[in-house]
Amino acid sequence: MDDPGRMMGGGLMPPQPYGMTPQGEAPPGNENEPRKQDIGEILQQIMNITDQSLDEAQARKHTLNCHRMKPALFSVLCEIKEKTVLSLRNTQEEEPPDPQLMRLDNMLIAEGVAGPEKGGGAGAAASGSAAAQAGQPDNAIEHSDYRAKLAQIRQIYHQELEKYEQACNEFTTHVMNLLREQSRTRPITPKEIERMVQIIHKKFSSIQMQLKQSTCEAVMILRSRFLDARRKRRNFSKQASEILNEYFYSHLSNPYPSEEAKEELARKCGITVSQIASWFANKRIRYKRNVGQSQEEANLYAAKKAARSAAYNSAPSPITSMDSLGYYD
DNA sequence: ATTTATGATTTGCA
DNA sequence: TGCAAATCATAAAT
């Protein structure tokens, strides 16, 4: 008999399935190659995106977004980010209020530039009341001039500030849109967007600080120009000159007002006692220099005084005290 | 642009 | 310290 076993044995030889690989380790090299290539390509496209025209870029973006590898790329980026974000964690610094900026802000408010719009400024009001004992057209004129200039500065300041504010907002929304759009392609947390916004604001606020700086400078210059006595001399008001001249020509024989008289004149003219003294010193020396020419003026004021005396005699005015010194001559 | 008027400062005197 | 005189600096007029 035959040997079925043999047959069996031979027959049992497992058939070699050609071309049939055990599943699993099949084409790792085979498919990895094109994937790498894809990513490189995609990255290249991303890099090039800024060089392209808008329409083109739009189209490319679209194809990128629809690319079958996009989710993979996204997750890779996520992974990378996961690793690096830890190192970025602590870059979250508290925003310390800049002392310099606060100084500028305080000053602008104090000067009435940054504060309430039509308040007129506390400083101006204070100095105004300090000098408001007697009606003083002189100071009032100077003050209104000062106020006008200050208002001008304030207007420009607010104008510029608003401009910056607007530009900042515009830029911020622009960047936010950009980031939001990019967040479809790469992972961006809201925190990051917030941080970016903060950075932008910081940049713009530094520009604003420059504005505040120069505004402060302008205010300082304005102050020194108007409020410093010596810098820019201002003539006394017509009224003050009248009063002084009347006194001078009424006391031509002895044009040396006493301390009390000086105070009275200072009060009436709205200037200081030392200014009165200075005025009389100048007047005396300049009168003496050319008595002839001053004679006309002397007559003028003598006539005025006479007229005033007559007016007083018929209807006494509420003005009192030292004024009566002008009566005799 | 130049001159004059005028308020402020400086100097020296008593 | 208060003043005269000279001088400075700027506003106002020419």
Side-chain angles (χ1 to χ4, degrees):
Chain A
M1 327 264 230
D2 316 65
D3 39 353
R6 238 174 176 221
M7 274 297 282
M8 283 286 273
L12 277 179
M13 272 281 280
Q16 267 306 32
Y18 292 120
M20 194 177 155
T21 47
Q23 78 291 33
E25 46 159 352
N30 230 4
E31 261 184 36
N32 255 2
E33 211 53 57
R35 186 186 290 179
K36 266 186 191 165
Q37 208 175 326
D38 268 354
I39 291 173
E41 215 172 283
I42 290 166
L43 290 176
Q44 194 58 46
Q45 282 177 8
I46 290 173
M47 299 299 283
N48 286 341
I49 240 168
T50 50
D51 298 332
Q52 298 156 2
S53 73
L54 268 183
D55 285 346
E56 202 181 347
Q58 211 62 37
R60 300 248 179 169
K61 271 197 287 193
H62 184 68
T63 57
L64 256 179
N65 276 332
C66 298
H67 197 280
R68 64 191 173 90
M69 280 296 148
K70 190 217 147 189
L73 174 62
F74 194 87
S75 67
V76 167
L77 289 173
C78 277
E79 245 176 71
I80 294 170
K81 180 143 202 163
E82 201 70 26
K83 286 176 191 165
T84 54
V85 81
L86 287 174
S87 60
L88 291 175
R89 271 289 165 208
N90 283 344
T91 43
Q92 190 176 358
E93 61 218 63
E94 275 305 311
E95 198 177 319
D98 187 349
Q100 169 86 358
L101 184 63
M102 280 184 57
R103 210 169 54 80
L104 291 175
D105 274 337
N106 285 339
M107 173 167 172
L108 287 175
I109 290 169
E111 294 298 331
V113 173
E117 177 54 37
K118 194 46 194 154
S127 52
S129 70
Q133 302 169 17
Q136 351 183 308
D138 182 30
N139 257 9
I141 286 168
E142 189 166 325
H143 241 266
S144 73
D145 211 351
Y146 174 77
R147 285 256 212 97
K149 286 262 173 25
L150 193 65
Q152 207 176 322
I153 289 177
R154 184 172 55 210
Q155 191 196 341
I156 291 170
Y157 170 77
H158 280 115
Q159 225 165 280
E160 291 294 303
L161 201 65
E162 198 177 336
K163 222 156 68 183
Y164 288 149
E165 201 80 35
Q166 196 181 330
C168 180
N169 286 338
E170 237 168 69
F171 192 70
T172 301
T173 55
H174 192 77
V175 167
M176 274 173 71
N177 284 341
L178 204 63
L179 287 177
R180 258 202 285 277
E181 164 134 22
Q182 285 194 1
S183 73
R184 295 199 305 183
T185 329
R186 68 188 181 95
I188 299 174
T189 64
K191 194 105 182 169
E192 280 174 296
I193 294 180
E194 194 185 316
R195 226 170 80 78
M196 187 58 77
V197 168
Q198 273 178 6
I199 289 170
I200 293 168
H201 281 180
K202 221 164 155 185
K203 287 284 181 206
F204 271 89
S205 81
S206 84
I207 294 172
Q208 279 189 1
M209 195 154 108
Q210 279 178 290
L211 170 67
K212 285 173 182 177
Q213 179 88 50
S214 47
T215 304
C216 274
E217 272 170 36
V219 171
M220 294 302 274
I221 289 168
L222 185 68
R223 275 184 78 96
S224 67
R225 265 181 134 219
F226 273 82
L227 270 35
D228 282 8
R230 176 108 123 100
R231 259 312 204 221
K232 234 174 180 154
R233 182 177 63 75
R234 275 199 74 77
N235 287 358
F236 298 150
S237 70
K238 193 88 178 172
Q239 198 180 344
S241 298
E242 286 281 304
I243 292 169
L244 292 168
N245 274 311
E246 272 174 33
Y247 187 98
F248 181 79
Y249 288 110
S250 299
H251 302 73
L252 249 190
S253 53
N254 184 34
Y256 297 88
S258 67
E259 195 56 38
E260 274 188 328
K262 279 190 221 168
E263 280 168 21
E264 175 72 9
L265 285 168
R267 190 186 63 72
K268 285 208 286 184
C269 296
I271 58 182
T272 68
V273 172
S274 65
Q275 279 177 308
I276 297 288
S278 181
W279 188 91
F280 273 89
N282 281 321
K283 190 71 187 177
R284 281 188 299 260
I285 192 93
R286 283 162 186 167
Y287 175 83
K288 204 166 73 175
R289 210 135 51 204
N290 43 11
V291 190
Q293 286 174 35
S294 299
Q295 202 55 48
E296 212 175 302
E297 198 179 25
N299 290 338
L300 183 91
Y301 278 101
K304 273 192 184 181
K305 186 198 60 185
R308 221 157 60 97
S309 295
Y312 277 2
N313 283 337
S314 57
S317 99
I319 299 174
T320 52
S321 71
M322 289 302 176
D323 203 35
S324 55
L325 282 180
Y327 261 153
Y328 77 97
D329 58 1

